Amino acid sequence: MKRHYGPRDMSIGQMTDPAPVALPRGEQVLPETEAEQVNARGRWLPVFGAILGAALFLVVRGSLTDDGYITLAYAKNLAVHGEWGIIPGSPANSATSPLNVLLLAALTLLTRVVGDPHPVVALGILTVLCGGALGWAWQRIGRKLALPPAAGVLGVTLVLVNPFVLSAIGLEVLLIPAVLLVLTVFALEGRPILFGVTAGLTVLTRLDLIVFVVVIALSAPAIRRRLLPAAGVAVLTAAPWFVFSWVAFGSFVPDTLAIKQTQVGLFAPWTYSTGPVMYYLGYPVTVLVSFVPALLGAVALAVWAAARFSVRWPEFPALGPVAALGAGGILYFIAYSFIGVGPFHWYYVAPTTTVGSFAVAAFGAWFGQARERTALRTGPPLLALGLTGVLVLSAAAVDAAQGVPWKSPVIFGNWASAQDYARVGKELGARLDGASVASPGEIGTLAYYCECAIIDEFSDRGHAKELVEQRIATANPLMSLALRVNYHWLDRSITPRKPDYRLQYGSGPATGPDSWQVQSAAKGVGHFTLTREP
């Protein structure tokens, strides 16, 4: 009788098991059913992020800041008139985030299908999309690092309920963490082409985010091995806009950098590096719930770096690009401390959200590892996740304390509420009847509702050119050289536009003709007065 050999027979014809595959340190092969459970984990996170984003937008939509309306004015002008500027007929280069304006303008065009353009509705749609992108990114990060679902919920909520973020909706404050977390996902998953596309979109969101792109790219072996293709795709994605900006506006970088650098005196003696202390004196609880997660992330990053390369803990979680995301936030804070800008609250969004996100990922990975290895206790990592959760809930409580819906943001310094600015802007447009007016110093909401020629350095290139030249003359040698290179092709023959009227702000009730009374949570009762220019 012919003998049949089994798979583990020790005679001739033996079928041996395949040799085990060596895995990177900190990774493991999961049984098929367990792998399916990990892949299914967190599939609802994008929906959660989108719904939370929609709910929060409905809370804040009536309280948008003046700088947020600058972006909306750009989007409206682009969608309606095809022009890049705050006011029609006056090209400008003061939009800090080209991608934010382009997305809002595209969504505004969609709203025109049902009638008039609605940039605020477009902003709501973009907020929902950013919330969904955050959820998607945390779903993928959780799957790759086997994080508990609670980590994804915390990661999404940490960004969306951050009072510094919600106080600047309209600016690119949600787009920044969304693109950076998606960039981190493609680095984790080793997808160089998609990484390159996202890197290009990241620098279109803000050019200064190049800090994150470089650090995250170098942290991922799969991206490093194909760095040239990734970089090439990134350049192809971003170059068309920057070439257009250099040709059309004579500058790669928005004029906002030079403008904001000349406004440092507004916060004297405070600087960007000391700004958190300044905000703490006025908003102590708000600063704690916004910055402490980032401080926890900085501590976690230091511990991770020491443990990851220690002989004692060879199996410490290989967080790689997620750790680079946190490191990028710290480097970003350091860089901004040196470039000489004031402590505008939206400048703290990138470092607080990214380093805080690393804290969530690190504590989640620590908890997952502790749960699977009996030698480790789950208490400490669970406590760390719990502390982060308490801070996130506290941030939500700070948001809720503003009332529902918000009448003004938590962090707020404008002279008038959004509602009062809208009223003044509409009445001012009718009063001017085509004449031009000098801005009182806050232009966004007035320009959006006035639809008139309201003039200052943000809307008129002639005024911006004067501030650019002033900044070049007073900058340190390195910054001066960078600005000279950037503005090499700037048309120096541009002259400031002379306004027909001037709008000025004063404290106290309005008196006399051409005067509008306003109210601000930051400034109290005030008024705007329109006067004829000589």
Side-chain angles (χ1 to χ4, degrees):
M1 180 180 294
K2 186 180 291 186
R3 181 179 177 185
H4 297 278
Y5 296 100
R8 299 188 182 277
D9 201 300
M10 296 304 296
S11 59
I12 299 175
Q14 173 184 0
M15 296 176 63
T16 58
D17 292 336
V21 179
L23 293 173
R25 187 171 61 178
E27 296 189 10
Q28 58 181 325
V29 174
L30 299 175
E32 185 174 350
T33 56
E34 189 176 346
E36 291 175 355
Q37 291 175 357
V38 170
N39 288 337
R41 184 183 299 166
R43 284 181 179 171
W44 42 267
L45 278 171
V47 176
F48 169 75
I51 292 174
L52 183 59
L56 290 171
F57 180 76
L58 292 176
V59 171
V60 306
R61 66 181 299 274
S63 65
L64 304 181
T65 63
D66 192 70
D67 286 271
Y69 269 106
I70 288 177
T71 303
L72 292 177
Y74 262 94
K76 184 179 181 181
N77 202 23
L78 182 59
V80 176
H81 303 288
E83 298 175 347
W84 192 265
I86 295 179
I87 59 176
S90 182
N93 190 33
S94 55
T96 57
S97 174
L99 183 61
N100 196 34
V101 172
L102 291 170
L103 291 174
L104 286 171
L107 293 170
T108 300
L109 278 174
L110 292 179
T111 66
R112 297 192 69 182
V113 174
V114 294
D116 294 333
H118 297 285
V120 176
V121 175
L123 176 60
I125 297 171
L126 185 58
T127 301
V128 171
L129 293 175
C130 286
L134 289 170
W136 180 86
W138 274 106
Q139 175 198 4
R140 307 290 292 195
I141 293 171
R143 180 182 301 179
K144 190 70 177 177
L145 301 180
L147 304 180
V153 173
L154 279 181
V156 172
T157 311
L158 178 140
V159 172
L160 292 179
V161 303
N162 185 320
F164 277 71
V165 171
L166 292 182
S167 295
I169 292 291
L171 293 167
E172 58 278 7
V173 289
L174 278 179
L175 202 55
I176 288 172
V179 296
L180 289 177
L181 279 164
V182 172
L183 187 74
T184 304
V185 167
F186 292 137
L188 269 173
E189 297 181 350
R191 300 186 179 190
I193 301 305
L194 289 176
F195 180 90
V197 172
T198 310
L201 296 177
T202 300
V203 296
L204 284 174
T205 300
R206 281 189 73 98
L207 186 57
D208 49 33
L209 298 180
I210 188 68
V211 173
F212 291 93
V213 173
V214 172
V215 175
I216 294 173
L218 295 179
S219 72
I223 306 301
R224 289 200 307 269
R225 285 193 295 268
R226 299 195 62 193
L227 195 57
L228 286 180
V233 171
V235 170
L236 288 175
T237 302
W241 167 259
F242 287 112
V243 171
F244 168 78
S245 180
W246 206 30
V247 172
F249 305 124
S251 170
F252 285 112
V253 181
D255 298 336
T256 317
L257 173 62
I259 293 172
K260 293 298 186 184
Q261 286 178 322
T262 62
Q263 293 178 341
V264 175
L266 293 175
F267 299 94
W270 304 103
T271 63
Y272 181 81
S273 58
T274 60
V277 178
M278 179 193 76
Y279 285 110
Y280 177 80
L281 296 177
Y283 312 91
V285 176
T286 300
V287 168
L288 288 176
V289 300
S290 302
F291 281 81
V292 170
L295 292 176
L296 292 175
V299 173
L301 185 63
V303 173
W304 175 86
R308 184 73 180 94
F309 303 104
S310 169
V311 178
R312 293 181 58 191
W313 291 317
E315 300 300 324
F316 205 82
L319 300 178
V322 184
L325 176 70
I330 294 173
L331 291 175
Y332 187 94
F333 186 92
I334 294 172
Y336 256 62
S337 297
F338 280 98
I339 64 175
V341 295
F344 296 94
H345 66 270
W346 50 89
Y347 288 168
Y348 296 101
V349 166
T352 56
T353 57
T354 54
V355 185
S357 294
F358 171 74
V360 172
F363 296 152
W366 183 20
F367 175 78
Q369 184 192 58
R371 189 173 51 182
E372 293 178 4
R373 294 177 61 192
T374 56
L376 293 175
R377 294 182 301 164
T378 59
L382 186 61
L383 182 63
L385 272 177
L387 176 58
T388 308
V390 168
L391 290 168
V392 170
L393 289 175
S394 300
V398 169
D399 299 334
Q402 283 295 104
V404 178
W406 280 8
K407 293 183 179 179
S408 66
V410 177
I411 309 292
F412 186 63
N414 292 154
W415 291 326
S417 66
Q419 296 84 356
D420 280 350
Y421 260 140
R423 171 177 54 83
V424 174
K426 292 173 183 177
E427 295 179 8
L428 180 64
R431 170 66 178 81
L432 290 174
D433 192 25
S436 61
V437 60
S439 157
E442 294 182 345
I443 187 176
T445 320
L446 290 171
Y448 181 89
Y449 285 101
C450 178
E451 297 186 344
C452 58
I454 183 166
I455 298 169
D456 71 0
E457 62 270 20
F458 289 98
S459 63
D460 179 64
R461 205 74 200 284
H463 285 82
K465 185 207 70 171
E466 292 184 334
L467 291 181
V468 166
E469 292 177 340
Q470 173 187 334
R471 178 57 187 153
I472 291 174
T474 58
N476 62 59
L478 184 60
M479 178 60 71
S480 178
L481 175 62
L483 289 171
R484 288 177 188 279
V485 171
N486 178 69
Y487 286 104
H488 179 72
W489 299 110
L490 177 64
D491 183 3
R492 259 55 179 205
S493 66
I494 303 173
T495 56
R497 184 174 175 178
K498 187 175 179 356
D500 301 310
Y501 290 88
R502 180 170 298 276
L503 190 66
Q504 294 177 301
Y505 173 79
S507 59
T511 57
D514 287 339
S515 186
W516 294 269
Q517 185 166 310
V518 295
Q519 172 75 31
S520 164
K523 304 294 184 181
V525 175
H527 64 276
F528 290 98
T529 303
L530 183 69
T531 57
R532 186 86 188 188
E533 283 288 274

